[in-house]
Tab-separated table of all heavy atoms in Angstrom:
chain	number	residue	atom	x	y	z
T	86	PHE	N	69.862	10.956	78.740
T	86	PHE	CA	70.018	11.034	77.309
T	86	PHE	C	70.089	12.457	76.794
T	86	PHE	O	70.909	12.760	75.916
T	86	PHE	CB	68.851	10.300	76.607
T	86	PHE	CG	68.671	8.902	77.087
T	86	PHE	CD1	67.547	8.560	77.843
T	86	PHE	CD2	69.607	7.929	76.831
T	86	PHE	CE1	67.379	7.246	78.262
T	86	PHE	CE2	69.456	6.630	77.294
T	86	PHE	CZ	68.311	6.279	78.012
T	87	ASN	N	69.233	13.352	77.295
T	87	ASN	CA	69.152	14.647	76.601
T	87	ASN	C	68.742	15.820	77.481
T	87	ASN	O	68.535	16.902	76.981
T	87	ASN	CB	68.148	14.539	75.447
T	87	ASN	CG	66.825	13.933	75.862
T	87	ASN	OD1	66.465	14.045	77.039
T	87	ASN	ND2	66.091	13.359	74.957
T	88	SER	N	68.590	15.623	78.745
T	88	SER	CA	68.157	16.771	79.586
T	88	SER	C	68.648	16.543	81.010
T	88	SER	O	68.490	15.458	81.565
T	88	SER	CB	66.619	16.855	79.599
T	88	SER	OG	66.228	17.797	80.575
T	89	ASN	N	69.217	17.569	81.621
T	89	ASN	CA	69.668	17.478	83.007
T	89	ASN	C	68.537	17.678	84.025
T	89	ASN	O	68.778	17.549	85.223
T	89	ASN	CB	70.750	18.502	83.285
T	89	ASN	CG	72.094	18.073	82.703
T	89	ASN	OD1	72.282	16.898	82.392
T	89	ASN	ND2	73.006	18.996	82.568
T	90	HIS	N	67.337	18.015	83.576
T	90	HIS	CA	66.299	18.418	84.505
T	90	HIS	C	65.161	17.423	84.620
T	90	HIS	O	64.202	17.704	85.334
T	90	HIS	CB	65.727	19.765	84.095
T	90	HIS	CG	66.756	20.836	83.957
T	90	HIS	ND1	67.661	21.118	84.957
T	90	HIS	CD2	67.039	21.646	82.942
T	90	HIS	CE1	68.454	22.139	84.554
T	90	HIS	NE2	68.120	22.438	83.321
T	91	ASP	N	65.232	16.283	83.958
T	91	ASP	CA	64.088	15.379	83.929
T	91	ASP	C	64.410	14.005	84.525
T	91	ASP	O	65.106	13.198	83.897
T	91	ASP	CB	63.560	15.241	82.505
T	91	ASP	CG	62.979	16.554	82.046
T	91	ASP	OD1	61.887	16.956	82.509
T	91	ASP	OD2	63.609	17.225	81.195
T	92	TYR	N	63.912	13.744	85.706
T	92	TYR	CA	63.917	12.407	86.291
T	92	TYR	C	62.708	12.313	87.222
T	92	TYR	O	62.563	13.153	88.146
T	92	TYR	CB	65.228	12.184	87.119
T	92	TYR	CG	65.308	10.757	87.589
T	92	TYR	CD1	65.609	9.731	86.685
T	92	TYR	CD2	65.059	10.418	88.925
T	92	TYR	CE1	65.688	8.409	87.101
T	92	TYR	CE2	65.151	9.081	89.337
T	92	TYR	CZ	65.457	8.102	88.434
T	92	TYR	OH	65.514	6.800	88.836
T	93	PRO	N	61.824	11.374	86.953
T	93	PRO	CA	61.876	10.365	85.901
T	93	PRO	C	61.582	10.943	84.515
T	93	PRO	O	61.478	12.146	84.359
T	93	PRO	CB	60.790	9.385	86.330
T	93	PRO	CG	59.795	10.259	87.054
T	93	PRO	CD	60.597	11.280	87.788
T	94	ALA	N	61.436	10.014	83.548
T	94	ALA	CA	61.280	10.429	82.136
T	94	ALA	C	59.919	11.085	81.872
T	94	ALA	O	58.932	10.790	82.563
T	94	ALA	CB	61.439	9.202	81.232
T	95	LYS	N	59.940	11.958	80.909
T	95	LYS	CA	58.718	12.554	80.406
T	95	LYS	C	58.630	12.264	78.895
T	95	LYS	O	59.664	12.280	78.192
T	95	LYS	CB	58.708	14.083	80.554
T	95	LYS	CG	58.468	14.590	81.957
T	95	LYS	CD	58.478	16.114	81.912
T	95	LYS	CE	58.018	16.681	83.249
T	95	LYS	NZ	58.956	16.423	84.335
T	96	VAL	N	57.434	12.029	78.390
T	96	VAL	CA	57.195	12.033	76.934
T	96	VAL	C	56.426	13.306	76.652
T	96	VAL	O	55.388	13.573	77.276
T	96	VAL	CB	56.374	10.789	76.497
T	96	VAL	CG1	56.124	10.848	75.006
T	96	VAL	CG2	57.138	9.502	76.856
T	97	ILE	N	56.930	14.123	75.743
T	97	ILE	CA	56.308	15.401	75.453
T	97	ILE	C	55.766	15.472	74.033
T	97	ILE	O	56.239	14.738	73.139
T	97	ILE	CB	57.300	16.560	75.700
T	97	ILE	CG1	58.513	16.513	74.713
T	97	ILE	CG2	57.797	16.606	77.132
T	97	ILE	CD1	59.383	17.748	74.728
T	98	ASP	N	54.788	16.353	73.835
T	98	ASP	CA	54.222	16.645	72.532
T	98	ASP	C	54.649	18.081	72.192
T	98	ASP	O	54.186	19.035	72.819
T	98	ASP	CB	52.702	16.525	72.607
T	98	ASP	CG	52.003	16.844	71.281
T	98	ASP	OD1	52.686	17.372	70.372
T	98	ASP	OD2	50.823	16.587	71.166
T	99	GLN	N	55.511	18.188	71.215
T	99	GLN	CA	56.070	19.513	70.869
T	99	GLN	C	55.200	20.327	69.933
T	99	GLN	O	55.628	21.390	69.450
T	99	GLN	CB	57.463	19.330	70.252
T	99	GLN	CG	58.454	18.663	71.205
T	99	GLN	CD	59.818	18.464	70.552
T	99	GLN	OE1	60.789	19.168	70.862
T	99	GLN	NE2	59.912	17.510	69.675
T	100	SER	N	53.965	19.923	69.728
T	100	SER	CA	53.093	20.631	68.787
T	100	SER	C	52.459	21.882	69.443
T	100	SER	O	51.834	22.694	68.731
T	100	SER	CB	52.023	19.723	68.253
T	100	SER	OG	51.122	19.300	69.270
T	101	ILE	N	52.597	22.027	70.756
T	101	ILE	CA	52.021	23.213	71.410
T	101	ILE	C	52.910	23.595	72.587
T	101	ILE	O	53.471	22.746	73.253
T	101	ILE	CB	50.576	22.935	71.885
T	101	ILE	CG1	49.923	24.197	72.426
T	101	ILE	CG2	50.535	21.834	72.915
T	101	ILE	CD1	48.399	24.080	72.618
T	102	GLU	N	53.061	24.913	72.821
T	102	GLU	CA	53.894	25.401	73.878
T	102	GLU	C	53.054	25.793	75.073
T	102	GLU	O	51.961	26.364	74.960
T	102	GLU	CB	54.719	26.602	73.415
T	102	GLU	CG	55.775	26.257	72.388
T	102	GLU	CD	56.669	27.447	72.025
T	102	GLU	OE1	56.203	28.623	72.236
T	102	GLU	OE2	57.758	27.240	71.546
T	103	LEU	N	53.581	25.564	76.288
T	103	LEU	CA	52.984	25.950	77.555
T	103	LEU	C	53.956	26.849	78.304
T	103	LEU	O	55.144	26.894	78.025
T	103	LEU	CB	52.648	24.719	78.416
T	103	LEU	CG	51.859	23.606	77.802
T	103	LEU	CD1	51.721	22.422	78.769
T	103	LEU	CD2	50.459	24.088	77.350
T	104	VAL	N	53.439	27.547	79.301
T	104	VAL	CA	54.268	28.350	80.209
T	104	VAL	C	54.181	27.732	81.591
T	104	VAL	O	53.058	27.561	82.115
T	104	VAL	CB	53.837	29.808	80.242
T	104	VAL	CG1	54.688	30.582	81.239
T	104	VAL	CG2	53.924	30.431	78.869
T	105	ASN	N	55.328	27.368	82.176
T	105	ASN	CA	55.377	26.775	83.516
T	105	ASN	C	55.521	27.908	84.544
T	105	ASN	O	56.589	28.512	84.653
T	105	ASN	CB	56.532	25.797	83.612
T	105	ASN	CG	56.569	25.079	84.954
T	105	ASN	OD1	55.698	25.304	85.790
T	105	ASN	ND2	57.546	24.218	85.137
T	106	ASN	N	54.462	28.187	85.304
T	106	ASN	CA	54.484	29.248	86.308
T	106	ASN	C	54.962	28.750	87.668
T	106	ASN	O	54.971	29.515	88.616
T	106	ASN	CB	53.078	29.848	86.426
T	106	ASN	CG	52.646	30.517	85.159
T	106	ASN	OD1	53.399	31.325	84.585
T	106	ASN	ND2	51.465	30.178	84.670
T	107	ASN	N	55.327	27.455	87.791
T	107	ASN	CA	55.703	26.910	89.087
T	107	ASN	C	57.186	27.214	89.404
T	107	ASN	O	57.572	27.106	90.566
T	107	ASN	CB	55.534	25.381	89.060
T	107	ASN	CG	54.139	25.011	89.559
T	107	ASN	OD1	53.587	25.635	90.427
T	107	ASN	ND2	53.564	23.980	88.945
T	108	VAL	N	58.016	27.471	88.423
T	108	VAL	CA	59.424	27.660	88.662
T	108	VAL	C	59.783	29.133	88.456
T	108	VAL	O	59.100	29.876	87.778
T	108	VAL	CB	60.296	26.764	87.756
T	108	VAL	CG1	59.995	25.299	88.080
T	108	VAL	CG2	60.047	27.034	86.299
T	109	ALA	N	60.890	29.521	89.048
T	109	ALA	CA	61.292	30.930	89.056
T	109	ALA	C	61.524	31.479	87.665
T	109	ALA	O	61.309	32.661	87.422
T	109	ALA	CB	62.555	31.075	89.908
T	110	SER	N	61.954	30.660	86.715
T	110	SER	CA	62.353	31.155	85.410
T	110	SER	C	61.187	31.290	84.437
T	110	SER	O	61.379	31.794	83.324
T	110	SER	CB	63.376	30.200	84.813
T	110	SER	OG	62.863	28.880	84.687
T	111	LYS	N	59.944	30.870	84.827
T	111	LYS	CA	58.771	30.939	83.913
T	111	LYS	C	59.104	30.334	82.561
T	111	LYS	O	58.908	30.905	81.512
T	111	LYS	CB	58.317	32.386	83.743
T	111	LYS	CG	57.864	33.061	85.049
T	111	LYS	CD	56.574	32.475	85.544
T	111	LYS	CE	56.005	33.299	86.702
T	111	LYS	NZ	56.777	33.273	87.915
T	112	GLU	N	59.634	29.114	82.578
T	112	GLU	CA	60.151	28.467	81.363
T	112	GLU	C	59.031	28.039	80.427
T	112	GLU	O	57.909	27.810	80.820
T	112	GLU	CB	61.011	27.268	81.741
T	112	GLU	CG	60.231	26.173	82.416
T	112	GLU	CD	61.092	25.016	82.875
T	112	GLU	OE1	62.238	24.892	82.397
T	112	GLU	OE2	60.611	24.255	83.712
T	113	ILE	N	59.372	27.938	79.136
T	113	ILE	CA	58.480	27.376	78.129
T	113	ILE	C	58.633	25.838	78.173
T	113	ILE	O	59.755	25.318	78.117
T	113	ILE	CB	58.798	27.909	76.719
T	113	ILE	CG1	58.622	29.442	76.682
T	113	ILE	CG2	57.953	27.227	75.684
T	113	ILE	CD1	57.212	29.888	76.996
T	114	ILE	N	57.506	25.126	78.277
T	114	ILE	CA	57.525	23.674	78.271
T	114	ILE	C	56.464	23.174	77.279
T	114	ILE	O	55.833	23.984	76.594
T	114	ILE	CB	57.259	23.123	79.677
T	114	ILE	CG1	55.892	23.635	80.210
T	114	ILE	CG2	58.372	23.474	80.621
T	114	ILE	CD1	55.459	23.033	81.516
T	115	TYR	N	56.320	21.869	77.211
T	115	TYR	CA	55.341	21.254	76.294
T	115	TYR	C	54.422	20.314	77.071
T	115	TYR	O	54.796	19.846	78.176
T	115	TYR	CB	56.088	20.463	75.226
T	115	TYR	CG	57.039	21.321	74.390
T	115	TYR	CD1	58.372	21.394	74.690
T	115	TYR	CD2	56.529	22.073	73.316
T	115	TYR	CE1	59.223	22.192	73.919
T	115	TYR	CE2	57.369	22.862	72.556
T	115	TYR	CZ	58.719	22.914	72.875
T	115	TYR	OH	59.563	23.683	72.112
T	116	PRO	N	53.253	20.010	76.562
T	116	PRO	CA	52.400	19.002	77.189
T	116	PRO	C	53.189	17.691	77.380
T	116	PRO	O	53.918	17.302	76.492
T	116	PRO	CB	51.244	18.819	76.210
T	116	PRO	CG	51.200	20.116	75.454
T	116	PRO	CD	52.622	20.574	75.337
T	117	TRP	N	53.015	17.080	78.550
T	117	TRP	CA	53.838	15.906	78.849
T	117	TRP	C	53.038	14.853	79.614
T	117	TRP	O	52.000	15.152	80.176
T	117	TRP	CB	55.060	16.328	79.709
T	117	TRP	CG	54.699	16.591	81.169
T	117	TRP	CD1	54.689	15.692	82.169
T	117	TRP	CD2	54.298	17.838	81.728
T	117	TRP	NE1	54.321	16.289	83.371
T	117	TRP	CE2	54.050	17.622	83.106
T	117	TRP	CE3	54.108	19.123	81.217
T	117	TRP	CZ2	53.666	18.623	83.986
T	117	TRP	CZ3	53.707	20.112	82.079
T	117	TRP	CH2	53.475	19.881	83.427
T	118	ILE	N	53.589	13.674	79.544
T	118	ILE	CA	53.118	12.582	80.422
T	118	ILE	C	54.333	12.044	81.126
T	118	ILE	O	55.339	11.707	80.540
T	118	ILE	CB	52.418	11.475	79.622
T	118	ILE	CG1	51.049	12.001	79.116
T	118	ILE	CG2	52.188	10.199	80.485
T	118	ILE	CD1	50.284	11.031	78.254
T	119	ASP	N	54.256	11.976	82.470
T	119	ASP	CA	55.321	11.428	83.260
T	119	ASP	C	55.266	9.891	83.227
T	119	ASP	O	54.184	9.303	83.369
T	119	ASP	CB	55.211	11.864	84.738
T	119	ASP	CG	55.580	13.335	84.910
T	119	ASP	OD1	56.609	13.746	84.361
T	119	ASP	OD2	54.854	14.045	85.622
T	120	ILE	N	56.440	9.283	83.028
T	120	ILE	CA	56.558	7.828	83.077
T	120	ILE	C	57.409	7.491	84.298
T	120	ILE	O	58.581	7.835	84.347
T	120	ILE	CB	57.202	7.290	81.785
T	120	ILE	CG1	56.474	7.819	80.543
T	120	ILE	CG2	57.194	5.750	81.823
T	120	ILE	CD1	55.046	7.396	80.392
T	121	PHE	N	56.808	6.843	85.280
T	121	PHE	CA	57.494	6.589	86.546
T	121	PHE	C	58.005	5.170	86.595
T	121	PHE	O	57.282	4.218	86.296
T	121	PHE	CB	56.527	6.806	87.699
T	121	PHE	CG	56.166	8.234	87.924
T	121	PHE	CD1	54.997	8.788	87.370
T	121	PHE	CD2	56.940	9.069	88.712
T	121	PHE	CE1	54.665	10.108	87.594
T	121	PHE	CE2	56.611	10.391	88.948
T	121	PHE	CZ	55.445	10.932	88.368
T	122	PRO	N	59.260	4.997	87.009
T	122	PRO	CA	59.764	3.651	87.266
T	122	PRO	C	59.269	3.116	88.575
T	122	PRO	O	59.227	3.825	89.598
T	122	PRO	CB	61.283	3.850	87.287
T	122	PRO	CG	61.477	5.250	87.801
T	122	PRO	CD	60.306	6.037	87.308
T	123	LEU	N	58.849	1.870	88.591
T	123	LEU	CA	58.471	1.179	89.817
T	123	LEU	C	59.657	0.314	90.263
T	123	LEU	O	60.136	-0.519	89.489
T	123	LEU	CB	57.263	0.309	89.597
T	123	LEU	CG	56.018	1.055	89.026
T	123	LEU	CD1	54.912	0.067	88.687
T	123	LEU	CD2	55.548	2.126	89.980
T	124	ASP	N	60.104	0.513	91.470
T	124	ASP	CA	61.323	-0.155	91.961
T	124	ASP	C	61.038	-1.029	93.161
T	124	ASP	O	60.109	-0.794	93.928
T	124	ASP	CB	62.380	0.908	92.336
T	124	ASP	CG	62.917	1.605	91.086
T	124	ASP	OD1	63.578	0.936	90.270
T	124	ASP	OD2	62.686	2.822	90.967
T	125	GLY	N	61.878	-2.064	93.296
T	125	GLY	CA	61.718	-3.012	94.378
T	125	GLY	C	62.119	-2.439	95.712
T	125	GLY	O	62.950	-1.559	95.816
T	126	MET	N	61.449	-2.927	96.765
T	126	MET	CA	61.775	-2.596	98.145
T	126	MET	C	61.979	-3.881	98.903
T	126	MET	O	61.236	-4.847	98.733
T	126	MET	CB	60.662	-1.776	98.782
T	126	MET	CG	60.456	-0.375	98.186
T	126	MET	SD	61.843	0.749	98.485
T	126	MET	CE	61.566	1.217	100.207
T	127	PRO	N	63.009	-3.978	99.760
T	127	PRO	CA	63.386	-5.239	100.384
T	127	PRO	C	62.318	-5.785	101.308
T	127	PRO	O	61.493	-5.039	101.834
T	127	PRO	CB	64.677	-4.880	101.164
T	127	PRO	CG	64.642	-3.387	101.311
T	127	PRO	CD	63.933	-2.853	100.119
T	128	ALA	N	62.379	-7.111	101.504
T	128	ALA	CA	61.372	-7.798	102.320
T	128	ALA	C	61.494	-7.456	103.806
T	128	ALA	O	60.482	-7.279	104.510
T	128	ALA	CB	61.470	-9.300	102.104
T	129	ASN	N	62.714	-7.357	104.289
T	129	ASN	CA	62.965	-7.122	105.724
T	129	ASN	C	62.539	-5.705	106.078
T	129	ASN	O	62.967	-4.738	105.455
T	129	ASN	CB	64.431	-7.334	106.034
T	129	ASN	CG	64.735	-7.138	107.529
T	129	ASN	OD1	64.925	-6.000	107.968
T	129	ASN	ND2	64.787	-8.215	108.262
T	130	LYS	N	61.692	-5.549	107.118
T	130	LYS	CA	61.137	-4.235	107.488
T	130	LYS	C	62.231	-3.257	107.888
T	130	LYS	O	62.179	-2.069	107.511
T	130	LYS	CB	60.124	-4.413	108.625
T	130	LYS	CG	59.390	-3.156	108.982
T	130	LYS	CD	58.352	-3.400	110.053
T	130	LYS	CE	57.577	-2.131	110.400
T	130	LYS	NZ	56.548	-2.415	111.452
T	131	PHE	N	63.234	-3.721	108.664
T	131	PHE	CA	64.281	-2.842	109.071
T	131	PHE	C	65.144	-2.372	107.904
T	131	PHE	O	65.457	-1.196	107.776
T	131	PHE	CB	65.170	-3.559	110.102
T	131	PHE	CG	66.309	-2.753	110.644
T	131	PHE	CD1	66.115	-1.662	111.428
T	131	PHE	CD2	67.615	-3.091	110.296
T	131	PHE	CE1	67.176	-0.898	111.916
T	131	PHE	CE2	68.686	-2.344	110.761
T	131	PHE	CZ	68.486	-1.236	111.564
T	132	VAL	N	65.491	-3.294	107.038
T	132	VAL	CA	66.303	-2.957	105.836
T	132	VAL	C	65.481	-2.034	104.920
T	132	VAL	O	66.041	-1.073	104.335
T	132	VAL	CB	66.724	-4.239	105.070
T	132	VAL	CG1	67.451	-3.897	103.784
T	132	VAL	CG2	67.557	-5.133	105.957
Side-chain angles (χ1 to χ4, degrees):
F86 307 112
N87 51 26
S88 170
N89 282 344
H90 305 306
D91 294 289
Y92 187 73
K95 285 181 171 66
V96 179
I97 64 171
D98 178 349
Q99 298 179 106
S100 66
I101 187 168
E102 292 184 339
L103 308 176
V104 178
N105 185 2
N106 296 310
N107 271 324
V108 297
S110 59
K111 299 290 190 293
E112 64 184 343
I113 298 300
I114 58 173
Y115 300 97
W117 76 89
I118 290 177
D119 287 315
I120 309 296
F121 291 94
L123 304 174
D124 290 295
M126 294 293 283
N129 182 277
K130 186 176 181 180
F131 179 69
V132 177

